[in-house]
Amino acid sequence: MYRFFRWMVRLVTFALAAFVVGVTGVWYFAARSLPDYNATYAVEGLSAPVEIVRTTENVPHIFGQTDADVFFALGLAHAQDRLWQMTMLRRTVQGRLSEVFGPETLKTDELMRRLDLYGAAMASVSAQSPAARSALEAYARGVNAWVETVNDQALGRGAPEFFLFDAPIPYWTPADSIAILKLMAAQGATQVETEVLRARLSLLGQGWAEDLMPDVPGTGVMALPDYASLFPSAVPETRSAKADEEGPLSPFGPAIFATASNAYAAAPSRSAAGGALMANDPHVALSAPSLWYLARLELSSGGVIGATIPGVPLVLSGRSPHLGWGVSASYADDQDVFVEELDPANPERYRTPSGWAEFRTRKVIVEVKDQTPITLTLRWSENGPVLPAGHFDLGTVTPPGHVMSLGWSALSPADTSISAALEIMQSQNVTQAIAAGEGFLAPSMNLTLADQETVGMVTLGALPRRATNHPTQGRMPTPGWLAASRWQGRLPYALNPRVENPAGGIVINTNNKVTDRAFPEHVSFDWGDTERVTRLTRLMGEREVHSRESFIAAQLDTVSPAARGLLPLVGADLWFTGQPAPEGTPERFRQRALELLAAWDGDMNEHLPEPLIYAAWMREFQSRVLRDELGPELAAKYTHLQPLFLERVLRNTDGAARWCDVLQSAPRETCSDIARISLDAALLGLSEKYGPQIESWRWGDAHEAVHKHAALGNSTLLGWIMNIRQSTSGGDFTLNRGVTRGTGPDLYANVHGAGYRGVYDFADPDSSVFVISTGQSGHPLSSHYDDLADRWRRGEYVPMSLDPELARAAASGITRLEPKAEND
């Protein structure tokens, strides 16, 4: 017994020692990649010394003697803090994720190879302006200089993830930066999904498309043909939703998760302090680290500061001493799906307006970790790349003997968006910035601007010129062989919506409808917002003059206009009705919930139960209304609330209340019946999860912000280390936007929101502020991995100053870059 005990002690001691040694080893190798912000590096590619002054929040302020040297240092700083993120963005757009992650990302790689965004980026390098070429080349040299430094000094491969995944780091090139901007266009693309969904609803008949996808209120449009009349052989098809999901790490996702934003500006005449004001908060998928990275560049045109994307040498939202600029997704219709008819005698040919033509083809090999490489045959028609039926649910609307191709502005091989963005960044006033936007092709965005004297806004991006007799107006897949379906170049930039020096002194955008022009100069039929704009319009209009504080308050506002609009309708026959029910009964539970909602002002505050009750009730109501008519598979596509649709149903617009009647039951159900049943079902589900005390429920318990690491976030252990979770306010339709997941066990988790917030005050520029949703570093052992996350959650900001002395006074480190001597 004694010997057994002694050996057990030895074994336990050995195991503990091995564990300590293992943990110490992991920590040592991971910590090696933490950059020293007080170091001096001799690097090739510089013309003169450069300083990178890091503030206490790890915001780099870069000072160099030439613009090229400054962009070099930005590339190095991005690589110091976000090298893994940069390489993953590049691999995504290249279609090379499967080399690292294996077959689970093969579908994503296949789609990216077929789109060939990276090929278009390589071709676009030669189209850039000399200044942009210089910036791209210098930036690439800076990234590569840090990679070489990591290799030479054995700095832990640059990021701990490189120890877990065999992911070699090829040298950075100018095409990589152009490609990442094109990847942002992919993340914001919604029109393919919208076209396919509208076609599927059209095939079902019954006018479902008009109710579920109504035109945003405004000028009407010409009637569209039924999809079945265009393609008689296309029939409604039932497929599993899962079969058509894009793969992990795909930049494409449901439209609700496309990029969105708020941007608004007030001229000096509407400012309490007499200087222009501006605010911007682009909405993206929450991730750890954030997509955004704060930086300040001291250029020959002056200092610029704001939000950058690692991998791209641009400040996409920020300010200079003279100008403030911000971006918001325009939802412009710059994509069309074309139905290509195959030659029955030779499926390698397709029909064109002038007869049969052969597809342009190319074979590529996709390397897959631990598996045999896959050979893909890529095909292009004159309209664009051919996409298989398994992507975007295309198979559900593809007639037999046909394939689908995609026309998209982002596929241009002469994309000068980087050049245009660089000109905007260095413009001195609103007029110059609007003029500079002509060369911006994709992603299409609304650019909000403010200078010392005025404000303005313009829609950036190449808008397709469509024929007035286009068969579907770009709203559904269209016959690719008809001349009327084909794009006829680009609309003149002068036709892009714009406003400069408006009479009211305020411009706003929440991805809302920006023009009432008729097709084909309509910009889009499908917009990203119909709710937030009403709230922002009210907040901007209820004050004669604004301040930095009022702009911040609007940015952090959590009142839901959707809740305010829908609750009086859905509960019209339920408020304060019936006799008081006994405690503990379902009737009493419903009455208590209705009492709380009746007194609620629509504030999606994390500490309240009302937002949770409202969200669960509306979800149940919409689901019950949709499933009967659409079937479970198609109804499952609607994972989030559709306020315009529900308002039509509850107001019985054009007879839309028919959705409430269950077709397969004998009784005739009313919307009040469905509302009552839905509320009871919602309350039952919430009580099972959060307990029977309705007053103790908290929206924040369900609406946690999940900043997820793209590669490791799903791992139980590593996800606990890498992911950042926080209780948050807001919701799908609040200005402080927190889009819910909509599927899975955590239905109401906050997975999409303002990754960056900035407020710029030209009356006192140094009082301007900004923040991102995580921290500057992508290294989990860095103190800057999540140090801004709590500020972001609490609605706090950090100073945005262009004063070099203030930056140096608050410096937590100064990195010095020196040109490497020839004999070094």
Side-chain angles (χ1 to χ4, degrees):
M1 187 68 183
Y2 174 74
R3 175 177 292 183
F4 173 78
F5 178 77
R6 183 175 59 185
W7 276 104
M8 285 299 297
V9 170
R10 289 175 180 175
L11 288 174
V12 171
T13 303
F14 177 80
L16 290 174
F19 176 78
V20 171
V21 170
V23 170
T24 303
V26 169
W27 179 88
Y28 172 78
F29 285 109
R32 290 284 296 168
S33 55
L34 284 169
D36 181 358
Y37 297 129
N38 275 307
T40 298
Y41 299 103
V43 292
E44 294 180 354
L46 280 180
S47 65
V50 176
E51 283 189 337
I52 306 175
V53 179
R54 302 271 184 168
T55 66
T56 53
E57 297 83 15
N58 198 30
V59 178
H61 290 241
I62 302 174
F63 303 95
Q65 296 186 21
T66 68
D67 287 358
D69 287 349
V70 171
F71 286 117
F72 178 103
L74 177 63
L76 188 141
H78 277 166
Q80 278 185 312
D81 288 321
R82 304 285 188 89
L83 186 59
W84 171 260
Q85 182 183 40
M86 293 168 63
T87 58
M88 287 302 101
L89 290 174
R90 177 172 61 180
R91 280 188 177 274
T92 301
V93 72
Q94 288 176 330
R96 295 180 55 209
L97 290 168
S98 298
E99 297 175 14
V100 178
F101 301 107
E104 67 174 344
T105 57
L106 185 57
K107 188 172 183 179
T108 298
D109 283 348
E110 179 214 346
L111 177 58
M112 300 310 295
R113 295 293 182 99
R114 294 189 186 280
L115 292 173
D116 198 23
L117 286 172
Y118 193 76
M122 290 192 294
S124 296
V125 172
S126 61
Q128 305 308 311
S129 66
R133 285 282 296 272
S134 174
L136 288 165
E137 290 168 356
Y139 180 87
R141 291 196 302 271
V143 175
N144 296 332
W146 180 249
V147 174
E148 291 175 352
T149 300
V150 167
N151 292 334
D152 292 342
Q153 300 185 18
L155 300 180
R157 300 194 67 188
E161 291 93 338
F162 289 109
F163 286 110
L164 301 175
F165 300 99
D166 183 15
I169 311 172
Y171 280 123
W172 202 265
T173 70
D176 297 337
S177 297
I178 298 173
I180 288 177
L181 193 61
K182 287 182 176 291
L183 186 65
M184 297 305 104
Q187 291 183 346
T190 64
Q191 297 299 333
V192 173
E193 177 191 349
T194 302
E195 286 189 32
V196 171
L197 190 54
R198 183 176 281 112
R200 294 186 70 182
L201 292 172
S202 177
L203 287 171
L204 292 176
Q206 308 296 322
W208 298 144
E210 288 77 4
D211 287 332
L212 257 174
M213 305 180 76
D215 293 326
V216 174
T219 302
V221 298
M222 294 183 292
L224 294 174
D226 288 335
Y227 193 69
S229 68
L230 293 172
F231 306 102
S233 59
V235 296
E237 184 175 344
T238 301
R239 300 168 61 108
S240 71
K242 187 175 182 180
D244 288 300
E245 289 177 354
E246 298 302 326
L249 303 181
S250 172
F252 295 97
I256 189 69
F257 298 130
T259 52
S261 312
N262 300 315
Y264 43 103
S269 60
R270 296 294 302 273
S271 166
L277 291 162
M278 189 182 152
N280 184 211
D281 52 296
H283 305 159
V284 295
L286 299 180
S287 61
S290 167
L291 173 68
W292 301 102
Y293 181 91
L294 306 174
R296 177 265 183 83
L297 312 177
E298 189 64 32
L299 302 172
S300 58
S301 58
V304 296
I305 190 170
T308 69
I309 294 176
V312 184
L314 295 170
V315 174
L316 287 167
S317 177
R319 74 170 185 91
S320 68
H322 318 287
L323 180 72
W325 63 97
V327 293
S328 53
S330 72
Y331 282 76
D333 187 3
D334 60 358
Q335 291 182 318
D336 270 352
V337 178
F338 294 92
V339 184
E340 308 286 7
E341 182 181 353
L342 300 178
D343 183 354
N346 182 3
E348 296 304 315
R349 301 199 304 171
Y350 66 101
R351 188 177 173 190
T352 74
S354 57
W356 299 107
E358 290 191 359
F359 289 105
R360 179 166 61 88
T361 64
R362 175 163 59 90
K363 290 185 181 296
V364 297
I365 296 175
V366 181
E367 299 288 342
V368 184
K369 181 183 178 183
D370 300 330
Q371 286 197 0
T372 304
I374 304 295
T375 300
L376 298 177
T377 299
L378 312 183
R379 294 194 293 176
W380 287 267
S381 73
E382 294 173 358
N383 295 309
V386 174
L387 302 181
H391 293 287
F392 303 113
D393 280 338
L394 289 170
T396 62
V397 295
T398 303
H402 296 72
V403 294
M404 297 293 201
S405 66
L406 175 66
W408 184 16
S409 297
L411 301 177
S412 170
D415 189 343
T416 54
S417 300
I418 290 278
S419 299
L422 190 64
E423 288 186 49
I424 291 169
M425 190 174 79
Q426 299 184 70
S427 296
Q428 302 298 302
N429 54 54
V430 169
T431 302
Q432 285 184 15
I434 291 176
E438 183 169 5
F440 201 99
L441 271 63
S444 180
M445 300 185 294
N446 291 316
L447 181 69
T448 302
L449 298 157
D451 62 23
Q452 301 285 358
E453 298 180 356
T454 190
V455 296
M457 183 181 294
V458 62
T459 298
L460 303 179
L463 305 182
R465 184 196 293 272
R466 297 180 177 90
T468 54
N469 61 336
H470 190 289
T472 69
Q473 299 181 351
R475 306 184 77 181
M476 293 188 295
T478 186
W481 59 89
L482 297 181
S485 296
R486 298 194 161 198
W487 289 2
Q488 301 169 7
R490 174 186 178 180
L491 284 176
Y493 179 60
L495 291 179
N496 283 28
R498 67 183 65 192
V499 61
E500 186 175 354
N501 194 22
I506 288 181
V507 293
I508 66 172
N509 186 254
T510 62
N511 322 118
N512 56 285
K513 186 176 183 178
V514 296
T515 178
D516 287 333
R517 293 191 317 225
F519 179 87
E521 298 174 2
H522 62 303
V523 180
S524 182
F525 288 117
D526 302 288
W527 303 90
D529 173 58
T530 58
E531 306 299 320
R532 284 176 285 127
V533 65
T534 61
R535 181 64 177 170
L536 186 56
T537 299
R538 176 175 179 176
L539 293 178
M540 291 294 102
E542 66 187 9
R543 298 172 63 110
E544 184 174 348
V545 293
H546 284 272
S547 63
R548 186 194 72 160
E549 285 66 32
S550 70
F551 266 42
I552 289 175
Q555 201 168 68
L556 302 177
D557 187 80
T558 55
V559 172
S560 172
R564 285 187 166 187
L566 289 174
L567 279 176
L569 299 176
V570 75
D573 296 328
L574 300 177
W575 306 117
F576 309 111
T577 58
Q579 296 297 320
E583 288 293 338
T585 62
E587 292 78 10
R588 180 55 189 156
F589 208 34
R590 183 197 319 141
Q591 290 174 353
R592 183 59 187 137
L594 288 168
E595 289 170 3
L596 290 173
L597 291 175
W600 181 49
D601 64 355
D603 185 1
M604 304 289 285
N605 187 288
E606 63 181 289
H607 302 294
L608 298 178
E610 290 90 344
L612 185 56
I613 301 169
Y614 153 75
W617 185 9
M618 292 300 96
R619 180 179 178 83
E620 280 286 342
F621 181 81
Q622 178 172 284
S623 176
R624 290 172 183 273
V625 166
L626 292 178
R627 279 181 300 178
D628 181 47
E629 281 78 1
L630 301 185
E633 187 273 326
L634 190 53
K637 297 294 180 184
Y638 290 92
T639 57
H640 291 74
L641 203 63
Q642 304 293 313
L644 289 183
F645 163 67
L646 291 182
E647 186 172 338
R648 285 175 65 87
V649 170
L650 293 167
R651 293 186 183 277
N652 196 23
T653 304
D654 297 330
R658 67 189 188 281
W659 285 82
C660 290
D661 181 35
V662 180
L663 299 179
Q664 300 180 27
S665 69
R668 184 174 182 82
E669 291 84 5
T670 67
C671 290
S672 294
D673 294 331
I674 303 301
R676 175 178 48 78
I677 295 170
S678 300
L679 179 56
D680 288 345
L683 293 174
L684 178 61
L686 292 176
S687 63
E688 290 175 350
K689 186 169 186 177
Y690 299 104
Q693 296 300 320
I694 193 170
E695 290 83 2
S696 68
W697 297 349
R698 291 179 69 256
W699 173 237
D701 291 341
H703 195 245
E704 281 191 324
V706 182
H707 310 266
K708 186 177 177 182
H709 190 279
L712 302 173
N714 289 328
S715 168
T716 303
L717 175 61
L718 294 177
W720 179 79
I721 297 172
M722 307 295 286
N723 297 341
I724 304 168
R725 300 181 71 98
Q726 307 160 301
S727 172
T728 55
S729 299
D732 293 350
F733 304 104
T734 57
L735 289 173
N736 184 359
R737 196 163 178 251
V739 179
T740 53
R741 177 172 284 136
T743 58
D746 296 326
L747 288 171
Y748 307 111
N750 177 5
V751 296
H752 196 282
Y756 165 78
R757 298 186 185 122
V759 179
Y760 323 139
D761 183 354
F762 285 93
D764 182 10
D766 285 336
S767 71
S768 301
V769 291
F770 59 176
V771 74
I772 59 174
S773 55
T774 57
Q776 289 284 88
S777 176
H779 199 301
L781 297 183
S782 171
S783 61
H784 300 297
Y785 183 70
D786 60 357
D787 59 331
L788 296 178
D790 281 340
R791 295 192 186 190
W792 174 84
R793 175 194 173 277
R794 294 194 300 263
E796 299 175 358
Y797 300 76
V798 297
M800 176 194 269
S801 175
L802 286 172
D803 187 335
E805 297 307 316
L806 287 178
R808 294 181 187 279
S812 61
I814 299 178
T815 304
R816 292 175 173 82
L817 307 180
E818 298 177 351
K820 184 181 251 185
E822 292 185 5
N823 57 353
D824 286 352

